[in-house]
Amino acid sequence: MSSQESAGRDVALIVSAMFRLAADPEDWEPLLSALEAAEPLDAAPPAVAAGLSHSQDVARLSAGREAGVPETAMPWILLGARGQVLAVGGAGFAHLPGGVGDVRVGGRLSLAEPADQLVLDEALKVFRSGASSPQILRFEGPSGRANRFAYLAPAAAAAALPGLGRRPDLEGASLLLFSPADAAAEMWRHLRTRFSLTPAEVRLAQKLGEGLSLSEAAEALGVSLATVRNQLKSVFDKVGVHRQSDLVRLLADLSQVAGVLAQGLPTPDPVLEAPPVQHLRLPDGRRLAYRVYGRRTGRPFLAFHEGLGSSLLPVGMDGLAARMGLRVICVDRPGFGQSDSLPEFNFTRVAADIETLCDHLGIGRLDIFTMLSGASAGLLTAIQLGDRVGNLVFISGRAPAAGSRSSARDPVNLMRARIEAHPWVMETLFSLLRIRLSKPLVLTFMRRSAQGSPGDLAYLEDHPEGVAYVEAYIREALDLTRRGVVDEIRALQRSQNMTLEGLRARLLVWHGEQDQFAPLDQLLSFARDRVDEVVLFPGVGHFLPLREWPALLQRLSDLPEAPAPSPPLQLGRP
């Protein structure tokens, strides 16, 4: 086969894999394999580019098919403020172990087993006291032979159930729900709280819920079989089951209920909670977008978002920065979010844009912190601003040099490393990502990037709001154009000679101890002996900027402010 024929076959495989990814955003393995096998190619022929554009149509059609809320056979019983039955759905009565007594709509729900009735009455009493969080109930049935678990939740929290949201009597009502399905993060948080499970016990239960045996779970968690046996016994004692199969059934019973509740539970909208986006018209006519968090007269910090991010910082950042006396300015770099793209993109021109913004805001002395892949832009900006910058902090920083992903073995880094070798696929790929973006997809990639960090994995299960935030900033990053992400990746490929030469600020490195996604040794190898401080955060991986905002901001506010540079010496006449 000629080299031209081989290249044509490689391109065809990649395009085919892109169509599969457009239809199913979880199906990235064929693309990963095709990119690995193909020879690097900088630009695609016009016919191939046209084929790639059709993949975006496939993505839009696939997204449209999934846009509606699926019907559910979730068994439920709607209870009024006094415990009377208002409605029943999904054969809810049949799911109660031991059954119910003589009951009708409008009457009081009466369970056949006195112990189960007591459980329900106590839960309703807690609900009427003003508790808004769902409660996990355990019904034992006749002689304790038929454990059945359920949620009691505010009815408004599950308005997504078919027909329920249209009822006028949900105010003050509660909902009893039962059902088996796949795991949901909301369920794990409730389960851990209700039964006082330790994080290690929750992780073991998750593995068993996924179908792993005890020995497989021990291997996956990196602990001994004896350890997981002890943990399992503790879980049995706390939850009130006696067999592993009963525990797995419990997890299945609770998880879909939690998923349905999560559809209706109000969670903070990261965009609505953030300060408004502001705009600066640059001298060449481009628009630069940014947000300002905290006090407008506070100590100024420039924040550099990650490589697939925006000026959107975590919920609560505005108030937290204000309380610490900080003024944090985060810019949508060119081509990200609401900032116009930059022709002939390079990091020096990005730095010049941000210097213009600092001048416009009247900022003299300042400090800079960067997150993840924002390290390159932050470094060049610190060099550009010279003596105006006192401290440059890399938080979970990736080495600002090409090839820093080449030795990675985790799926997300492998994907990006192989995409970087084929820049002709990048814009289409990020367009597909924007069309098909969803919280489940974001959660999948976050789990893969956290594989080396048990602490990060546990955080993901307990903090679904973190996934919502990441999904929101990715959506913002790709909102108007995909150029920024593509241009920055290409600029990184050209940055073989990026160095710390010219940096006058103190350089600090803050890194998660469990971070295998952006290895610390690569960053320190790049910085050599120029680093003034290295701080390792125990039990944290690459999610350091996501998990530890209060601690990080406190450390930033405690940094010594470097003195202003001395004016040049004026020599008088002799």
Side-chain angles (χ1 to χ4, degrees), residues 520-533:
L520 178 60
D521 58 347
Q522 291 182 356
L523 182 60
L524 296 180
S525 175
F526 167 80
R528 299 185 183 276
D529 58 354
R530 183 63 178 75
V531 179
D532 294 279
E533 174 185 271

Side-chain angles (χ1 to χ4, degrees), residues 111-432:
L111 306 186
E113 292 294 316
D116 293 344
Q117 185 69 53
L118 183 61
V119 168
L120 177 61
D121 290 344
E122 288 298 317
L124 288 171
K125 186 184 301 182
V126 172
F127 177 78
R128 285 194 293 269
S129 71
S132 58
S133 299
Q135 302 175 60
I136 296 178
L137 282 59
R138 181 175 64 218
F139 297 122
E140 294 189 356
S143 304
R145 291 195 304 270
N147 278 327
R148 186 73 183 181
F149 293 82
Y151 274 103
L152 182 73
L161 287 172
L164 197 58
R166 295 188 292 272
R167 294 186 63 95
D169 51 0
L170 297 186
E171 185 67 31
S174 59
L175 200 65
L176 201 59
L177 301 103
F178 317 78
S179 187
D182 58 337
E186 196 72 19
M187 180 269 287
W188 290 110
R189 186 162 72 250
H190 296 155
L191 190 69
R192 178 176 170 181
T193 302
R194 166 64 176 83
F195 297 112
S196 301
L197 299 181
T198 67
E201 289 166 354
V202 170
R203 289 194 288 274
L204 171 60
Q206 287 173 314
K207 295 301 180 186
L208 298 177
E210 293 167 6
L212 271 63
S213 66
L214 268 186
S215 58
E216 291 169 336
E219 182 178 357
L221 294 169
V223 297
S224 69
L225 185 58
T227 296
V228 296
R229 281 177 174 154
N230 288 333
Q231 290 172 349
L232 183 61
K233 182 179 183 302
S234 177
V235 172
F236 284 171
D237 292 342
K238 291 177 180 179
V239 176
V241 296
H242 307 287
R243 294 176 304 206
Q244 188 172 327
S245 59
D246 292 338
L247 176 64
V248 172
R249 182 170 61 80
L250 154 66
L251 302 178
D253 283 351
L254 292 177
S255 56
Q256 185 178 355
V257 179
V260 169
L261 290 176
Q263 294 179 38
L265 287 172
T267 55
D269 185 318
V271 177
L272 295 179
E273 297 282 333
V277 176
Q278 302 181 52
H279 301 93
L280 172 67
R281 188 64 63 178
L282 296 166
D284 63 0
R286 287 180 297 112
R287 182 179 63 170
L288 190 69
Y290 63 98
R291 285 184 171 99
V292 180
Y293 299 81
R295 293 187 186 175
R296 299 309 180 258
T297 57
R299 178 181 175 181
F301 280 84
L302 275 177
F304 283 77
H305 62 72
E306 78 121 322
L308 193 56
S310 73
S311 60
L312 184 65
L313 297 180
V315 172
M317 176 69 172
D318 193 32
L320 193 59
R323 288 193 294 275
M324 295 183 180
L326 305 181
R327 179 190 188 190
V328 179
I329 301 103
C330 191
V331 180
D332 286 342
R333 295 196 290 277
F336 290 82
Q338 296 186 31
S339 288
D340 294 333
S341 57
L342 175 62
E344 300 178 12
F345 183 104
N346 63 64
F347 289 117
T348 301
R349 294 192 65 190
V350 172
D353 285 351
I354 296 176
E355 182 178 25
T356 301
L357 174 64
C358 291
D359 293 341
H360 169 74
L361 296 175
I363 297 174
R365 300 282 293 166
L366 73 155
D367 298 282
I368 291 176
F369 65 91
T370 75
M371 296 166 285
L372 316 180
S373 296
S376 299
L379 171 61
L380 266 292
T381 301
I383 292 173
Q384 174 94 9
L385 292 174
D387 286 328
R388 293 169 70 174
V389 181
N391 299 284
L392 170 63
V393 186
F394 288 158
I395 301 176
S396 292
R398 185 177 295 283
S404 60
R405 301 176 190 270
S406 57
S407 61
R409 303 313 304 168
D410 64 274
V412 180
N413 267 327
L414 274 175
M415 169 70 90
R416 186 155 175 175
R418 290 173 187 174
I419 290 167
E420 288 171 1
H422 299 272
W424 60 279
V425 308
M426 286 195 293
E427 190 152 1
T428 298
L429 184 66
F430 288 118
S431 294
L432 297 183

